[in-house]
Each structure stands twice: as C-alpha cells, then as structure tokens.
Amino acid sequence: MTKIYGILAHPARHSLSPAIFNAAFLAEGINARYEVFDVESLEKFLKMLARGRKISRLENSSPGYICGLSVSLPYKESILKYLDEMSEDVRAIGACNTVKITDIQNSDGSAKKIASGFNTDWIGFIEALKEKIASVKELNVVVLGAGGAARAIVYGLIKEGAKVVVLNRTVEKAAKIAKDFENIRADGGTTEGNRADENNRATERDRAIESDRADIQFGALEELENFKCDVLVQATSVWLDEKEVDFVSEEYLQKNKPLVFDIVYKPLITPLLQSALNSGCKIITGDKMLLNQAVKQFEIWFDKKAPKEVMSKAMNTDH
Ligand code: NAP
C-alpha cells in the first residue's frame, strides 16, 4: 500500500514541498506519495477523513495510509490538540510543523496508530545558519518578528547559546517570547526542570544554572537602531503583501554589516536581502531553512539519512 504524506496548510497551492518530497521518495525507492491538503478548516478536514478527533485515525478513509504531515500556516498551533504525543520542542515553542503517524501494538495484540508532533523549523534555521557560521554561541542576533516561525528560531538560537533581541510590530508578542524562553538553557532543557530534579544539590550548582539563563531582550521594530548585531533575522511575513518596508535602513546595514537571513523564500531575494547586498552584507536566503527543515522531516518520518542533494535540486528547479 502506498504511504501518503502531505502538506496541511491554507493556502498551500504554491508549496515547494510536493516537489521536494516526491523527488526524495523516488530517489530512495520509497513507495510513497506527497500530496497537498489545502483545507480551509482543520476541524472539517479531520472530521471528514477520520470521523474522530485524533489525526492517527486519518488513514481509515484514505486510499493509502497517511503516515505523516508537514503542517504550515495557519495550523501549526491548532494541530496540537489532535496529537497523541509531542516532542519537548513542540511543547516549548507551542507549534508543530511535523506529524508522524506510527503503528503500535496494544498489550492485547491489537494494533493502534499514534500521531506524534515535532518541530523542525528551528533545526532548519540553525542548520542553515551553521552552513555560513561555524558557531552560534555568544553571537548577537536580532530577530524581527514574533510569529510562529520567530518563536521556533529564537528557541533554536537560545539553545545554541546566542544572545537574542526580539523586535516586533506588536511588542507584547515579543515580550511573551522573552518570558516563555527565559528558562531555556543553552544545552537544552529548562532551568526549572533541572532545579526540580536537583533540589537538594549544593548552591554552587544552582549558581551555574542561574548564569545559564537565556540572554534575551525584546522591543519594537523601530528600536532596531539601538541594537548592534552579528546576525539580523527577518522573520515577519511582510514580503507577502508589501514591496517596501522601512524598519531596516541601509544606514543600519552599512554601519553594522550583519549577516542578513531573511526566512521568506518568495521572492528568494527579498527587498531586504537586496538592500543587504547593496550594503556589502553577507546573506542567507529563506530556501536554505526550508530545505534543512524538510531534510529533518524526512529523517523523522523514515529514520534514515535524507537525500539532501536531490531535495535541493528539486526545490530549485521548481522555483
Ligand atoms: P505568523 O505567525 O503569521 O507571524 C507573522 C509575523 O509577521 C508577526 O510577527 C507579525 O507581526 C509580522 N508582520 C506581518 N505583517 C507585518 C507588517 N506589515 N509589518 C511588520 N510586521 C508584520 O507567520 P510565521 O509562521 O511566523 O511566518 C512568517 C514568515 O516566515 C512567512 O512569510 C512564512 O512563509 C515564512 N516562513 C519561512 C520558513 C522557511 O522554512 N523558510 C518557515 C516558516 C515560515 P504582529 O505580531 O505585529 O502581527
């Protein structure tokens, strides 16, 4: 039976994911097909396919078995309540972009399916960054935006030990990220979790944990001029509907010469990246994050190394 994978999003028509994954399935000789589930209502979609609450029951009404989903806007948060289990990253970030459906056996021998949620956005971002910069530790990074993608990116940066400033149009959302992640430690896990486990250990150890607290500040987009940075990350959705933005000036880019990473990949060279190139800055385009998060998604679904070259080529020929 052909295994079915797909992207669950709205709109999803212009997604590059079918080209990326179908090329990977072909190259690896996997009997699977990647489809587009462009649905206006997550609830209706799940009801229609499953007549039940959990994603793990989707396979009943599909011509193949649904074994995995890439989840995109606007369902990354709302999918959480339909999962049977989720990774620590999903719990911390509050968003899931990868669902894996696995068969498990009950103790009475009967079979059931489990839907597990993962987040590969932060891994895709960090991997793409590390292709240009050997170590992220201690880097000063400004992230513009505080939506779902920015949350995943900030989570990854904090885990890697970067010093992060989050700036957003709606400042409250940037403040919430700073609050939510203040206890994430550079080596993963939370200080609170560790404290609970080691309650009776010496204060010396506690002080070390204290100094490991996330270095994270927040503010409004207009405050960018106040923060020098090594890396500037553009994680708003601004290019979707606006050709010009005024929250990053060429003067700022010329003065600080940051590495500029715009995670938007349509267009590939956004106006900000063009401005960065004009100012002599190095850049990273959004397709690098997309590719690396897809590679990780493949590895979660199939427990083996992804054919990254094939996936990259498929993505580029589909532009
Ligand atoms: P989201 O949750 O909807 O967040 C949108 C963000 O953009 C918010 O911070 C919002 O600010 C800000 N924003 C929107 N319009 C703005 C404007 N005119 N001026 C200033 N800020 C504006 O979206 P998301 O999931 O974070 O995705 C953001 C972008 O990243 C999208 O374009 C998406 O396609 C892209 N993305 C790329 C990858 C990749 O692999 N390359 C992965 C994920 C997402 P407010 O909070 O003030 O509304």
Side-chain angles (χ1 to χ4, degrees), residues 124 151 187 191 256 285:
R151 277 184 74 85
D187 58 344
T191 54
N256 294 286
T285 49

Side-chain angles (χ1 to χ4, degrees), residues 145-149 168-170 173 235-237 242 263-265 286 289-290:
N168 195 42
R169 178 175 62 178
T170 310
K173 276 167 71 180
T236 75
S237 50
E242 292 179 35
I263 71 160
V264 171
Y265 52 87
M289 174 172 169
L290 181 73

Side-chain angles (χ1 to χ4, degrees), residues 25-201:
F25 297 163
L26 194 64
E28 292 294 301
I30 297 170
N31 181 14
R33 198 169 69 238
Y34 191 97
E35 297 182 349
V36 172
F37 301 116
D38 186 339
V39 297
E40 284 186 35
S41 157
L42 179 60
E43 280 67 26
K44 273 192 199 156
F45 172 72
L46 294 177
K47 266 190 197 148
M48 186 181 73
L49 288 173
R51 287 177 230 96
R53 283 187 56 79
K54 299 281 184 195
I55 301 177
S56 44
R57 294 172 63 189
L58 279 180
E59 88 286 356
N60 295 337
S61 41
S62 166
Y65 289 100
I66 291 187
C67 298
L69 293 166
S70 309
V71 186
S72 193
L73 281 175
Y75 302 124
K76 287 184 183 181
E77 288 92 22
S78 49
I79 199 82
L80 260 60
K81 62 177 181 284
Y82 300 103
L83 298 171
D84 298 298
E85 58 182 33
M86 62 188 83
S87 68
E88 188 193 325
D89 320 355
V90 170
R91 224 177 278 283
I93 296 165
C96 161
N97 77 329
T98 308
V99 176
K100 178 177 184 173
I101 297 169
T102 21
D103 292 298
I104 62 157
Q105 219 159 29
N106 292 318
S107 47
D108 64 1
S110 62
K112 74 168 179 181
K113 290 188 182 276
I114 290 286
S116 314
F118 303 86
N119 190 305
T120 67
D121 278 337
W122 75 271
I123 299 167
F125 173 83
I126 294 293
E127 290 295 317
L129 190 56
K130 284 185 172 174
E131 285 169 5
K132 283 268 177 177
I133 288 181
S135 171
V136 180
K137 197 166 168 55
E138 302 289 325
L139 275 185
N140 288 302
V141 185
V142 170
V143 178
L144 307 174
R151 277 184 74 85
I153 288 166
V154 173
Y155 175 79
L157 287 167
I158 294 294
K159 275 177 80 98
E160 292 288 321
K163 300 172 181 174
V164 183
V165 177
V166 191
L167 305 178
N168 195 42
R169 178 175 62 178
T170 310
V171 182
E172 292 75 21
K173 276 167 71 180
K176 183 161 175 8
I177 292 185
K179 178 96 189 85
D180 289 351
F181 293 161
E182 67 184 359
N183 290 325
I184 301 285
R185 289 176 62 195
D187 58 344
T190 66
T191 54
E192 274 164 13
N194 279 282
R195 278 212 188 90
D197 292 340
E198 299 169 4
N199 235 352
N200 48 3
R201 295 266 171 92

